[in-house]
Amino acid sequence: MTETLVEVDDLKVHFPIKRGVFLDRVVGHVKAVDGVDLRINKGETYGLVGESGCGKSTLGRALLQLTPPTGGRVNFDGTELTTLPAKQLRSMRRRMQMIFQDPMSSLDPRQNVESILTEGLQAHGLGGDRTERRKIIAKSLDAVGLPQWALSRYPHEFSGGQRQRIGIARAVVLNPDLIVADEPVSALDVSIQAQVINLLEDLQEELGLTYLVIAHDLAVVKHISDTVGVMYLGALVEEASSDDLYRQPLHPYTRALMSAVPVPDPEIEDRRERILLAGDLPSPANPPTGCRFHTRCPWAQPTRCRDERPGLRIIGTGTHRVACHWAEQIESGEIRSHAVKAELIADGAGARDAHGALETALETPGGPVV
Amino acid sequence: MSTKTDKIDRLGELTAAKQDEHGVSLWTEAFRRVRRNPTALVGIAILVIFVLVAIIGPWVAPYSPTDFIGKGEVRSGQGIIPGPSAEHWLGYDHQGRDELSRLLVGARQTLLVGIISTLIGLTIGALVGGIAGAAAGLGGRVGRAVDSVLMRIVDMLLALPSLLLAVSIAALLGASLTTVMIAVGVVSVPIFARLLRGAMVAQANSDYVLAATSLGVKRTKIAIGHILPNSLAPVIVQATLTLATAIIEAAALSFLGLGNPDSATPEWGLMLAEAQRFLDIRPGLAIYPALGIIITALGFTLLGEAMREALDPKLRK
């Protein structure tokens, strides 16, 4: 029996673009997040992938109300967060924590570890007196695998992996229900990545945590997630259980993402089909009409893709949701990919000609060694 | 118990050697760096001598700085001012007072002018800049409005040429040493205000402020506990450097006749101003206080620059 912890409905975050010297004139909006629906079940991990600039981090922050959403609703365990008064929201924050990408900049350089870990407890009046607090802190240090002498140290005295552990301890010490991890391992080197990912999994098991993991590394997301959502230009284009999505990606964008992940077997690697997307990510200030992806989609069909924005719809049985008008036809081969606006190449030789390949999926080919 | 506990134990062993040491805070480290910097040491040495003279000057001065002991020998109208001698190492000033004694006693006034005017500028500037910075960084729409109003006022101050501003303040309040201190202090207000506000706005956008917000820490506590301490370094450096310029500016105002008109209490700027009339006869009378001002300002500048290096996070290894 799965219970929903977070329910996001039609969430929008639009940043105004301002011009002018004396009076700011709003000349447009950057639609960083533009209508996202998602559910995160208790005790599960929801992985959010997408290339840089697609709005996945903004979505994470808007979910925690760190960036005020422009529209939509966020329901956290029965409480509506978007309309919650500031005071209640502040006490609600104990239950939803965040882990940041850069562990150095997310720790105050003038605070020692003890003060970093105590701050949250103090803010919520938890843990009673000093000795009791120290006990709680010591426990969370243990939980993330840091030695006790770390307490009197300052962030700059630690390595990157240790700093990320401090960041995790800071989140865990409040005993939260939800943790939003924004690129938790992309600033770390690969050997440390695996340690931190394993730590996150151990903690989830011990403390019954629910995660929203934001990443651009497909291997990391595949390993850690129960459900995966793929974002493109501020909206979800596909969502499915981790196994389903990696076995059978249905959205053209997801297919392109997946095809960029190298396969360890050199023979398969040589023969497999690679989809290289032409062009750059369109500006979120002026997104394409209709389907956001139609300008780069090798399967785009005339008029409908350009005119009508596809919503997420369930395909097949279960929970696989896709925002594509032609998902079934593409899957059955009824619609062939074309090379009018984008290139489909079967061999590696053509890759030189195609520019603007998917930067995201290519960033870390190996992924963590687990 | 589990593999995880083993892992922790191993981690503990690996790092056990460091266990006794205490954490080193950024301030401690900056202090260490200053201590190892020869430039800083020269600056500190100059300042220690200066402060010592300022404190004990009146007791070590061989003569009273206000006694016209050489009145009979000095005929400034006819261009006769006796120079250095065995009894009077730096000779007499134009009224027959012992120049060395006046220099030694005058150091205190000069130091006071520098410190007090810098404190005036620092206090008002940091207050205005701190409020504006906190409001801009965290306060939403109202905060941004408060910030805009405060900063436009500061901009107006900044638009006036500093000497002109000082002259008009002095003209408004009448010529006295207090006027000089207020004028020099007010001139440095916009510098401190802008500096602190800029640093605070930059810090307010940092990840650790976002982290504190997501922990549920109150906004005022974030502003005072996180943003302010991380924004102070450039202000402290600026204060040290301002001490140097304040002394020079105060001297300039005294030179222009806006300082204390009564020459009974010696002050280097005023001594310089009086000496200009006798530059052709006894240039030493102008050179001694000028050297004093230059060396003191140099001491503060050297220390300020060394502190900037020590506190700059970009230079931190």
Side-chain angles (χ1 to χ4, degrees):
Chain A
M1 188 61 213
T2 49
E3 216 178 316
T4 307
L5 180 69
V6 184
E7 224 176 305
V8 175
D9 274 317
D10 197 27
L11 192 71
K12 287 182 179 147
V13 184
H14 295 178
F15 296 111
I17 308 167
K18 284 178 181 172
R19 291 259 168 79
V21 183
F22 288 105
L23 293 165
D24 288 344
R25 209 156 38 89
V26 177
V27 292
H29 285 93
V30 173
K31 293 167 181 162
V33 178
D34 202 20
V36 169
D37 303 292
L38 57 86
R39 313 255 169 293
I40 305 173
N41 293 328
K42 245 176 210 164
E44 285 194 356
T45 301
Y46 190 105
L48 203 56
V49 285
E51 60 193 295
S52 315
C54 73
K56 52 192 193 305
S57 291
T58 311
L59 174 61
R61 284 172 191 198
L63 193 148
L64 295 178
Q65 307 298 309
L66 291 171
T67 303
T70 318
R73 285 175 303 281
V74 178
N75 193 296
F76 177 79
D77 204 15
T79 313
E80 180 54 44
L81 296 182
T82 48
T83 52
L84 203 64
K87 211 173 162 189
Q88 273 119 293
L89 179 64
R90 201 173 67 75
S91 51
M92 198 59 144
R93 291 201 183 283
R94 185 197 65 75
R95 301 184 53 196
M96 36 187 207
Q97 284 301 307
M98 185 156 177
I99 297 169
F100 293 83
Q101 172 174 10
D102 181 355
M104 187 70 216
S105 70
S106 64
L107 301 171
D108 185 339
R110 295 188 196 282
Q111 256 185 320
N112 62 20
V113 173
E114 181 175 4
S115 153
I116 289 171
L117 297 183
T118 327
E119 192 165 33
L121 294 173
Q122 274 174 340
H124 295 284
L126 298 171
D129 62 356
R130 199 166 168 213
T131 43
E132 217 170 302
R133 271 192 196 135
R134 284 202 95 137
K135 250 184 251 165
I136 301 175
I137 294 169
K139 231 174 76 189
S140 70
L141 267 189
D142 259 358
V144 300
L146 281 175
Q148 292 303 316
W149 54 258
L151 282 177
S152 63
R153 299 302 178 102
Y154 291 81
H156 64 107
E157 298 174 274
F158 292 93
S159 70
Q162 288 173 318
R163 280 179 206 145
Q164 194 56 293
R165 285 167 193 269
I166 298 170
I168 295 171
R170 170 172 65 183
V172 171
V173 78
L174 290 175
N175 194 20
D177 300 306
L178 171 75
I179 289 184
V180 174
D182 187 359
E183 307 262 11
V185 295
S186 45
L188 310 173
D189 44 280
V190 177
S191 58
I192 311 286
Q193 283 189 358
Q195 287 180 17
V196 170
I197 296 266
N198 288 341
L199 171 64
L200 287 175
E201 289 189 316
D202 288 349
L203 288 171
Q204 179 166 43
E205 214 166 289
E206 276 171 48
L207 308 169
L209 294 167
T210 305
Y211 288 137
L212 172 64
V213 176
I214 298 163
H216 61 250
D217 187 328
L218 294 166
V220 167
V221 169
K222 181 184 181 184
H223 177 77
I224 200 172
S225 309
D226 299 300
T227 308
V228 176
V230 181
M231 264 184 100
Y232 181 78
L233 217 59
L236 278 177
V237 294
E238 185 163 3
E239 184 195 79
S241 73
S242 179
D243 295 337
D244 280 355
L245 190 86
Y246 283 81
R247 201 181 51 236
Q248 191 188 29
L250 291 176
H251 195 281
Y253 178 65
T254 321
R255 283 164 174 257
L257 270 182
M258 297 297 172
S259 81
V261 179
V263 180
D265 185 330
E267 281 186 22
I268 302 176
E269 172 69 21
D270 269 356
R271 273 184 285 112
R272 78 195 173 87
E273 184 187 64
R274 262 186 283 189
I275 308 162
L276 272 162
L277 297 179
D280 291 324
L281 189 70
S283 160
N286 185 21
T289 57
C291 177
R292 295 284 152 90
F293 189 55
H294 85 262
T295 51
R296 297 167 82 191
C297 180
W299 286 274
Q301 297 300 305
T303 66
R304 194 177 174 196
C305 286
R306 202 185 59 217
D307 299 336
E308 192 187 328
R309 189 176 173 188
L312 280 175
R313 59 197 175 92
I314 294 177
I315 287 194
T317 51
T319 54
H320 204 136
R321 297 197 296 161
V322 182
C324 176
H325 296 304
W326 308 101
E328 291 96 339
Q329 286 88 333
I330 293 169
E331 182 58 22
S332 66
E334 209 174 300
I335 295 177
R336 292 305 185 104
S337 59
H338 49 73
V340 183
K341 290 167 186 164
E343 280 187 83
L344 174 69
I345 43 163
D347 62 310
R352 273 171 286 136
D353 307 317
H355 76 102
L358 273 177
E359 151 227 350
T360 318
L362 294 172
E363 269 175 55
T364 328
V369 188
V370 183
Chain B
M1 187 178 70
S2 66
T3 50
K4 213 176 98 203
T5 4
D6 292 346
K7 263 186 263 170
I8 296 166
D9 288 346
R10 223 178 315 136
L11 235 158
E13 278 165 33
L14 281 174
T15 40
K18 287 185 186 169
Q19 243 167 19
D20 312 324
E21 292 173 29
H22 268 281
V24 184
S25 83
L26 292 183
W27 290 117
T28 324
E29 207 173 288
F31 179 65
R32 276 187 197 167
R33 231 190 306 259
V34 166
R35 239 177 18 189
R36 277 198 298 262
N37 184 345
T39 320
L41 294 182
V42 172
I44 290 171
I46 292 175
L47 294 178
V48 165
I49 294 169
F50 174 53
V51 171
L52 254 164
V53 168
I55 294 169
I56 61 167
W59 288 284
V60 295
Y63 302 94
S64 158
T66 48
D67 266 2
F68 305 102
I69 26 176
K71 213 173 178 181
E73 299 162 59
V74 172
R75 290 193 178 33
S76 46
Q78 294 152 34
I80 304 166
I81 304 174
S85 61
E87 293 89 50
H88 302 281
W89 291 357
L90 297 179
Y92 295 115
D93 78 345
H94 65 286
Q95 288 185 309
R97 293 169 294 200
D98 182 52
E99 179 75 3
L100 179 63
S101 304
R102 284 180 68 76
L103 270 182
L104 290 174
V105 175
R108 180 181 290 186
Q109 287 298 323
T110 306
L111 182 67
L112 274 182
V113 170
I115 289 176
I116 291 177
S117 50
T118 302
L119 277 181
I120 292 172
L122 179 65
T123 314
I124 303 175
L127 208 64
V128 173
I131 292 170
L138 296 169
R141 193 178 294 247
V142 183
R144 278 197 295 276
V146 170
D147 168 55
S148 289
V149 171
L150 284 176
M151 279 301 116
R152 290 305 80 76
I153 295 172
V154 167
D155 283 350
M156 284 182 333
L157 270 180
L158 204 60
L160 294 170
S162 58
L163 200 61
L164 198 67
L165 186 65
V167 169
S168 26
I169 291 170
L172 211 69
L173 300 177
S176 75
L177 204 60
T178 325
T179 305
V180 171
M181 292 193 272
I182 292 174
V184 174
V186 167
V187 165
S188 63
V189 163
I191 301 166
F192 285 114
R194 287 213 77 94
L195 205 61
L196 184 60
R197 183 220 171 239
M200 284 180 78
V201 169
Q203 294 295 331
N205 289 324
S206 63
D207 273 359
Y208 65 81
V209 170
L210 198 67
T213 314
S214 83
L215 278 180
V217 182
K218 280 183 188 143
R219 283 196 296 188
T220 42
K221 211 181 158 211
I222 293 176
I224 296 167
H226 292 286
I227 299 178
L228 190 63
N230 279 295
S231 312
L232 280 181
V235 177
I236 291 168
V237 171
Q238 183 61 40
T240 321
L241 295 172
T242 301
L243 273 166
T245 47
I247 288 173
I248 294 172
E249 270 176 36
L253 289 184
S254 291
F255 183 84
L256 291 175
L258 298 165
N260 193 356
D262 174 18
S263 69
T265 24
E267 195 267 322
W268 291 352
L270 185 65
M271 286 166 70
L272 191 62
E274 286 173 340
Q276 62 162 330
R277 283 186 284 146
F278 311 101
L279 213 55
D280 50 340
I281 318 161
R282 296 255 340 110
L285 291 184
I287 292 170
Y288 306 137
L291 270 181
I293 292 168
I294 291 168
I295 291 171
T296 312
L298 181 73
F300 279 119
T301 309
L302 289 179
L303 181 64
E305 290 294 342
M307 274 167 64
R308 187 205 298 282
E309 269 173 43
L311 291 170
D312 190 344
K314 283 188 208 94
L315 295 168
R316 201 171 290 137
K317 56 164 195 311

